Amino acid sequence: MPKTTPTPALSTVGAARVRSPRLFWLLGPAMVAGVAYLDPGNVASNMTAGARYGYLLVWVVVVANVMAWLIQYLSAKLGVVTGESLPQALGSRIRSSWGRRLYWLQAELVAMATDVAEVIGGAVALNLLFGIPLLWGGVITGVVSLGLLVVQSRRGARPFEVIIVGLVVLIAVGFTAGVFIAPPDPAGIVGGMVPRFDGADSVLLAASILGATVMPHAIYAHSALSRDRFAPAATPTPFTPGSAAADLEAGRGVSTRRLLTATRWDVTIAMVVAGTVNLCILLLAAANLAGVPGTDSLEGAYAALRDGLGPIIATLFAVGLLASGLASTAVGAYAGAEIMSGLLRVRVPLVARRLITLIPALLILGVGVDPTFALVLSQVVLSFGIPFALIPLVWLTARRGVLGAFRNRPATTVLGIVSAGLLITLNLVLLWLVFTGA
């Protein structure tokens, strides 16, 4: 995308007058982080929920995206105001070296589990579209994601954002096309907005939807994406309330308040897109796959769509799944690299970092583990990491010593605590149901 200098507006930072770009040019990081809400784990959870229970869990998708808006905004705000990612902020505050290593270990396992789901999704899509064996499909997905990371590291945040947004368009078209061909029942949608369950399995699916929606690596990634996107031209002194805020603004040429306004719009747009696509996936399954056997797997859902709505809709679904796997695994690897550098203060070469999280996914594909089972298992691992990302995020963004005048308002902190508590509780329910076989 050619670089265009928009007509600037003027704002004042301290004694200096700086030129602020238009709001549109400040958008982007949230859409990249939002890819985590459109990964193959989301597809599997929402398709299964719609196929098994129809419109019953529509309300879960809506609630999950409302909570996701708040959580992603807090993550982005941390990166914007402090110029640090969440892993960096924790790395500088966890005094014990062993404490940092243990925290990194759980976060690294989360990154690996994320990569398993995303690489498997890409491999399944390549198998459906071209008949490529799953193992080789995983290799191709990993190589393409590495190419996307090279773009990010060498060309900067903006070109990376443009590519990811392009993939999001493919995801949206691929997963929503079927809804226009075979529309859902409006009365069913309205009925699905009433919170309720239908047995333990529906609770398990609800927890899976929430776990696949609010994922730890998206929280780590968004703070780093905002930091990188709005990096000052000159490195300022470390952030402290007061003068350092002015240093960051002067280096960026944009006031922090303007960036936070842009961030709210950015997160809102990203969550509307992600929420709409996730809802369409569930509605597509509820309207066309309810009661159809074999739709509890991605391959089964593809076959059912092909038989029920035709090969074009099924192919678009597979293309959306491929774009989902490619985009989300690139963002997941970016998050993994940030986790390692922020907590261990070690920077690993890009290729080596990509291999660290890619190898477990390829091993799973190579030994013939059922892809859908591996996706479900990856969501269980992600559930362990939710508290370690959510609790520090709410704590840091509520502190005056971290965000200064931009710290959370009391109501925001309360909403953050409630959202974190609800998500942690439901993920504990998910773990209990899985391990007890209830």
Side-chain angles (χ1 to χ4, degrees):
M1 177 180 291
K3 292 184 178 179
T4 305
T5 304
T7 303
L10 292 179
S11 63
T12 304
V13 178
R17 291 177 66 81
V18 296
R19 294 181 179 271
S20 295
R22 293 188 185 278
L23 185 67
F24 173 79
W25 296 98
L26 302 176
L27 306 180
M31 188 60 74
V32 177
V35 166
Y37 297 84
L38 299 170
D39 79 337
N42 288 85
V43 179
S45 297
N46 290 316
M47 288 292 288
T48 303
R52 288 187 186 176
Y53 292 100
Y55 303 99
L56 179 72
L57 299 179
V58 166
W59 67 275
V60 178
V61 177
V62 175
V63 169
N65 277 274
V66 170
M67 289 192 295
W69 186 95
L70 175 62
I71 291 164
Q72 293 306 132
Y73 173 67
L74 293 181
S75 175
K77 183 168 77 167
L78 180 69
V80 168
V81 176
T82 67
E84 288 186 321
S85 68
L86 178 58
Q88 281 180 312
L90 291 172
S92 63
R93 287 167 175 80
I94 299 175
R95 302 299 182 186
S96 167
S97 59
W98 276 106
R100 282 198 310 274
R101 290 168 189 162
L102 289 173
Y103 192 97
W104 164 80
L105 180 61
Q106 63 80 27
E108 188 68 34
L109 291 174
V110 165
M112 288 183 178
T114 301
D115 222 30
V116 166
E118 292 157 354
V119 171
I120 286 176
V124 169
L126 288 170
N127 178 261
L128 295 175
L129 289 168
F130 308 111
I132 297 174
L134 289 176
L135 179 59
W136 285 109
V139 172
I140 293 171
T141 302
V143 170
V144 173
S145 68
L146 177 60
L148 294 176
L149 289 170
V150 169
V151 170
Q152 195 277 337
S153 63
R154 295 185 179 180
R155 301 293 300 276
R158 194 62 175 174
F160 183 62
E161 288 172 8
V162 171
I163 294 173
I164 296 298
V165 169
L167 289 172
V168 168
V169 172
L170 288 177
I171 294 169
V173 172
F175 290 150
T176 62
V179 173
F180 296 98
I181 301 300
D185 175 27
I189 298 174
V190 173
M193 291 296 295
V194 179
R196 65 192 191 281
F197 296 105
D198 182 16
D201 193 46
S202 67
V203 177
L204 176 62
L205 274 174
S208 296
I209 291 172
L210 285 166
T213 301
V214 183
M215 292 188 290
H217 82 283
I219 300 171
Y220 297 127
H222 201 168
S223 58
L225 288 164
S226 297
R227 176 205 62 196
D228 292 348
R229 179 71 159 76
F230 304 121
T235 303
T237 56
F239 177 84
T240 55
S243 62
D247 291 339
L248 272 175
E249 290 183 353
R252 291 166 170 162
V254 185
S255 72
T256 300
R257 291 194 182 279
R258 184 168 178 80
L259 286 181
L260 290 178
T261 299
T263 296
R264 284 191 288 272
W265 278 102
D266 196 22
V267 175
T268 299
I269 294 169
M271 291 300 101
V272 167
V273 171
T276 301
V277 173
N278 280 318
L279 187 58
C280 284
I281 294 170
L282 188 148
L283 296 178
L284 177 66
N288 301 280
L289 305 181
V292 178
T295 53
D296 54 352
S297 69
L298 294 174
E299 300 92 336
Y302 170 84
L305 289 174
R306 181 190 59 207
D307 296 340
L309 300 181
I312 294 178
I313 295 300
T315 299
L316 287 174
F317 173 81
V319 169
L321 182 62
L322 177 60
S324 169
L326 294 176
S328 55
T329 193
V331 175
Y334 171 88
E338 182 60 34
I339 289 166
M340 180 172 284
S341 63
L343 290 168
L344 297 186
R345 301 166 187 170
V346 172
R347 291 200 174 272
V348 176
L350 194 61
V351 175
R353 172 64 230 180
R354 170 73 278 196
L355 290 175
I356 289 174
T357 53
L358 182 61
I359 288 175
L362 296 181
L363 287 174
I364 289 173
L365 292 171
V367 300
V369 175
D370 177 67
T372 303
F373 173 76
L375 283 173
V376 173
L377 185 61
S378 71
Q379 301 308 306
V380 173
V381 176
L382 290 177
S383 298
F384 284 106
I386 284 286
F388 295 99
L390 282 181
I391 293 173
L393 176 67
V394 175
W395 175 67
L396 286 170
T397 54
R399 295 190 63 197
R400 178 183 290 274
V402 179
L403 296 191
F406 300 103
R407 72 190 187 281
N408 297 341
R409 295 176 180 177
T412 304
T413 299
V414 169
L415 288 174
I417 292 171
V418 170
S419 297
L422 181 60
L423 285 165
I424 292 168
T425 300
L426 284 174
N427 277 278
L428 289 174
V429 171
L430 171 62
L431 294 174
W432 181 80
L433 290 172
V434 169
F435 289 118
T436 61

